[in-house]
């Protein structure tokens, strides 16, 4: 039995067979295949090699045709290497003799050959070692690509164990067969984690390396409440699993009954609880859970997992579906937050992947540099908004100039629509996400120009503490409870209040029941959260008084360390509502 602890990102307790996804990264896990599957694995290797050879032959022809025969020759050398029967036999032997997976056998055999070539002290042969490594990457990427394709074609329930899943892959997980997933990489607020919550698939991320030695098919228990994954559990663990699952179900049932009640404190202050959504279908989840509206619609997911950009009509259909489901309640549509980890296939060329993509061309920056893309979306929003309470929000605003340019683009689009005689909504509220520390420093100036603020703590924490939100090795630094984060939030709330600008928090911090009393105590009266946590947050808010919340906030603000803030908030939550906690 192997027990791993990671970051709990989507609740639920499940058990099922493992479906293991490797990565084509430099480090390949030492995985074995069952004796009965060895022939199949050998075939898989040869099929991958065949495809790689065809690819290289294609490159050779193209290079010879466009650049001249001497360039084509470069690929001929690669092709000879890929077709070397001794090399292929060495890999086949490792699969047959040691039951290694095709990925692992290819990885070690090709690494070994590259090393041999380098050790001969001949510069020409050392160059050839680079070709061997290139071949390794191609073969692994083929093998891995196949695994990933298999993920889309599941026919029975599994628990997916992967090094990482991209937001696009997660968005396409089949809920019928994926009982849960666990990844070695990822952090609490990575987009993969957020999607797990949206899709309501139990998930644990940031487990660190553990896929070594797994061959798939092992029994797995995944507890998305406490962030635990158990491989090949013993009797006692199985028993405990059944208890946790029963407990989880009974708490979930009790919480369900709260959906219809208002999120009102004991002393009668109404807190507006909005939902965060990524897909139009989630609008219904918001209503079922008793949300007061949609506080963050991450529209970029319309682009992910597609080969072609959505048309204006695709945008229009999606937005119309959401606003009509919300039936008069407010809907905050965030304009595209593409870039960084959210790059659709159609945009690979457009987005330069620099060394630090989260500091690169993403979000509003990308929209402002690609006006046709931005305007297509804005046209659809303005058309879909007629007769509804739709608000537009720009992501990742860093400077006043960006906000003004983005707002001006809306005015341009309205003018275009008017000239074309296309009906559109007018006078929509226009706000911004506050998720870049520079925007917090300029918050008073922004407050004079915006209709509302929404604090995006997921990115704000990442940029303020210089800690990647998806990197488990800095998860200790990445904390919503860090005193610096509390001060940044306080500053935004004070400026918003002083200027009568509505303010909300839509980062994952507000979906964590521990932080809700603190946020209310800091003066927030609106938050936007993952829909499935709404009943739980109602339970917390309905136990709270504003005086309590203010005491909690003032005490939390007095600590110097994140861990003291978090353990204090934890103990306050337990006192407040012990019955509902999972
Ligand atoms: C945030 O950064 O807090 C946020 C809500 O946006 P996203 O998670 O989509 O980056
Ligand atoms: Mg963000």
């Amino acid at each position: 039995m192997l027990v791993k602890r990671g970051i709990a990102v989507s609740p639920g307790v499940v058990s099922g067979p493992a479906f293991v996804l490797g990565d084509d990264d430099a480090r390949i896990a030492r995985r074995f295949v069952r004796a009965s599957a060895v022939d199949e694995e050998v075939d898989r290797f040869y099929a991958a090699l065949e495809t790689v050879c065809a690819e290289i032959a294609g490159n050779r022809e193209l290079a010879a045709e466009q650049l001249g025969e001497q360039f084509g020759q470069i690929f001929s050398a690669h092709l000879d290497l890929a077709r070397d029967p001794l090399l292929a036999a060495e890999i086949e032997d490792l699969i047959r003799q040691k039951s290694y997976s095709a990925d692992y056998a290819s990885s070690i055999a090709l690494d070994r050959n590259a090393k041999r070539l380098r050790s001969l002290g001949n510069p020409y042969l050392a160059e050839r070692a680079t070709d061997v490594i290139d071949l390794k990457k191609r073969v692994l990427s083929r093998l891995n690509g196949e695994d990933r394709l298999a993920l889309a074609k599941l026919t029975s329930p599994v628990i997916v164990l992967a090094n990482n899943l991209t937001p696009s892959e997660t968005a396409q997980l089949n809920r019928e067969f994926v009982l849960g997933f666990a990844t070695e990489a990822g952090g609490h607020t990575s987009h993969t984690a957020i999607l797990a919550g949206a899709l309501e698939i139990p998930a644990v991320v940031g487990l660190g390396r553990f896929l070594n030695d797994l061959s798939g098919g092992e029994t797995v228990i995944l507890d998305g409440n406490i962030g635990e994954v158990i491989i090949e559990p013993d009797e006692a663990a199985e028993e405990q699993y059944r208890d946790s699952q029963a407990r989880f179900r009974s708490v979930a049932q009790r919480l369900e009954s709260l959906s219809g009640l208002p999120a009102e404190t004991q002393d009668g202050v109404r807190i507006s609880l909005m939902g965060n959504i990524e897909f139009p279908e989630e609008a219904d989840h918001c209503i079922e859970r008793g949300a007061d509206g949609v506080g963050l619609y991450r529209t970029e997911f319309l682009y992910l997992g597609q080969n072609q950009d959505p048309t204006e009509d695709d945008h229009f259909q999606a937005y119309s579906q959401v606003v009509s489901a919300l039936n008069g309640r407010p809907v905050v549509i965030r304009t595209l937050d593409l870039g960084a980890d959210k790059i659709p296939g159609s945009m690979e060329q457009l987005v330069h992947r620099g060394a630090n993509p989260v500091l690169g061309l993403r979000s509003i920056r990308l929209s402002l540099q690609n006006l046709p893309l931005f305007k297509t979306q804005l046209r659809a929003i303005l058309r879909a908004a007629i007769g509804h309470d739709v608000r537009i929000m720009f992501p990742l605003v860093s400077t006043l100039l960006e906000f003004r340019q983005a707002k001006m683009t809306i005015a341009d689009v309205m003018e275009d629509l008017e000239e074309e005689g296309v009906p559109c909504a007018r006078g929509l509220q226009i706000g911004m996400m506050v998720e870049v520390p520079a925007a917090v420093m300029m918050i008073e100036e922004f407050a004079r120009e915006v209709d509302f603020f929404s604090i995006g703590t997921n990115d704000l924490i990442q940029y303020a503490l210089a800690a990647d939100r998806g990197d488990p090795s800095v998860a200790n630094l990445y904390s919503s409870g860090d005193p610096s984060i509390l001060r940044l939030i306080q500053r935004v709330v004070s400026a918003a209040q002083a200027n009568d600008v509505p303010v909300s928090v839509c980062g994952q911090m507000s979906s964590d029941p521990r932080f809700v009393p603190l946020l209310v105590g800091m003066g927030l009266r609106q938050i936007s959260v993952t829909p499935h946590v709404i009943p739980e947050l109602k339970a917390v808010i309905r136990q709270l008084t504003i005086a309590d919340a203010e005491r909690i906030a003032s005490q939390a603000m007095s600590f110097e360390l994140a861990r003291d803030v978090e353990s204090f908030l934890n103990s306050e939550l337990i006192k407040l509502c012990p019955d509902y906690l999972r």
Side-chain angles (χ1 to χ4, degrees), residues 189-191 194 276 278 296 298 300-301 334 337 341-342 362-363 393 395-396 433-435 454-463 469 478 505-509 528:
T189 66
S190 55
H191 287 106
I194 291 171
N276 291 348
E278 289 72 32
L296 167 65
R298 292 182 166 99
E300 59 277 6
F301 284 92
R334 181 176 76 178
D337 188 359
D341 60 339
K342 291 180 288 193
R362 62 169 288 207
S363 273
M393 176 160 77
L396 209 84
M433 305 257 322
V434 182
E435 50 184 347
S454 188
I455 306 175
T457 48
N458 303 340
D459 277 311
L460 187 61
I461 298 169
Q462 151 165 281
Y463 294 125
R469 63 196 263 190
Y478 184 99
V505 172
C506 64
Q508 290 304 105
M509 177 181 188
S528 191

Side-chain angles (χ1 to χ4, degrees), residues 405-482:
Q405 284 173 336
K407 208 172 154 178
M408 208 114 71
T409 314
I410 296 183
D412 289 348
V413 168
M414 275 184 181
E415 217 169 282
D416 292 347
L417 289 169
E418 192 159 310
E419 269 171 26
E420 292 165 33
V422 178
C424 73
R426 307 208 150 258
L428 300 190
Q429 290 189 32
I430 301 172
M432 64 180 263
M433 305 257 322
V434 182
E435 50 184 347
V436 178
V440 180
M441 298 313 290
M442 298 295 286
I443 204 70
E444 282 79 14
E445 285 77 3
F446 277 114
R448 288 186 221 120
E449 303 196 18
V450 303
D451 293 321
F452 62 91
F453 289 128
S454 188
I455 306 175
T457 48
N458 303 340
D459 277 311
L460 187 61
I461 298 169
Q462 151 165 281
Y463 294 125
L465 284 153
D468 186 333
R469 63 196 263 190
D471 184 346
S473 59
V474 289
N476 59 327
L477 275 174
Y478 184 99
S479 163
S480 302
D482 195 275

Side-chain angles (χ1 to χ4, degrees), residues 13-199:
V13 190
V14 286
S15 170
F19 178 91
V20 181
L21 269 184
D23 61 329
D24 49 7
D25 224 7
R27 276 189 56 185
I28 293 295
R30 184 158 61 99
R31 282 177 45 209
F32 297 95
V33 289
R34 294 170 197 284
S36 57
V38 160
D39 283 338
E40 210 179 300
E41 196 67 0
V42 170
D43 290 347
R44 205 165 81 83
F45 160 66
Y46 279 111
L49 188 63
E50 204 36 61
T51 317
V52 168
C53 288
E55 260 170 29
I56 302 175
N59 289 346
R60 183 182 59 182
E61 267 168 45
L62 199 72
E65 202 179 283
Q66 299 195 348
L67 303 167
E69 190 45 45
Q70 69 276 31
F71 286 95
Q73 285 303 321
I74 299 174
F75 290 100
S76 297
H78 287 195
L79 198 55
D80 289 346
L81 181 71
R83 288 192 175 142
D84 180 348
L86 291 177
L87 207 51
E90 191 177 333
I91 295 170
E92 181 179 339
D93 266 4
L94 285 170
I95 303 174
R96 291 200 183 282
Q97 310 304 332
K98 304 211 166 181
S99 303
Y100 286 159
S101 69
D103 312 51
Y104 187 60
S106 308
S107 162
I108 56 169
L110 293 165
D111 274 345
R112 199 190 281 161
N113 277 278
K115 203 166 157 197
R116 239 181 255 146
L117 287 168
R118 278 195 212 101
S119 69
L120 296 174
N122 173 323
Y124 173 77
L125 292 175
E127 278 282 299
R128 299 284 70 78
T130 318
D131 297 344
V132 177
I133 296 299
D134 181 60
L135 176 64
K136 177 181 103 169
K137 284 192 182 147
R138 283 174 183 271
V139 172
L140 291 179
S141 147
R142 271 290 134 201
L143 289 167
N144 195 243
E146 257 178 47
D147 287 348
R148 286 175 189 262
L149 282 181
L151 182 61
K153 295 183 191 146
L154 292 171
T155 52
S156 58
V158 293
I159 292 186
V160 176
L161 305 179
N163 170 261
N164 204 0
L165 291 173
T166 63
S168 304
E169 284 167 339
T170 314
Q172 292 172 75
L173 288 179
N174 178 344
R175 265 192 287 178
E176 195 185 341
F177 296 125
V178 178
L179 300 171
F181 73 80
T183 59
E184 294 183 324
H188 183 58
T189 66
S190 55
H191 287 106
T192 297
I194 291 171
L195 281 177
L199 297 165

Side-chain angles (χ1 to χ4, degrees), residues 314-373:
D314 294 333
H315 282 278
F316 177 77
Q317 298 298 342
Y319 306 151
S320 300
Q321 183 179 342
V322 173
V323 293
S324 65
L326 268 290
N327 198 18
R329 296 174 186 85
V331 176
V332 179
I333 301 185
R334 181 176 76 178
T335 64
L336 300 172
D337 188 359
L338 289 164
D341 60 339
K342 291 180 288 193
I343 303 177
S346 62
M347 260 176 223
E348 290 281 351
Q349 304 302 323
L350 196 75
V351 183
H352 165 70
R353 287 186 199 251
N356 297 306
V358 290
L359 302 180
L361 188 63
R362 62 169 288 207
S363 273
I364 194 67
R365 305 167 184 185
L366 187 137
S367 295
L368 288 173
Q369 282 196 30
N370 295 281
L371 285 180
L373 173 101

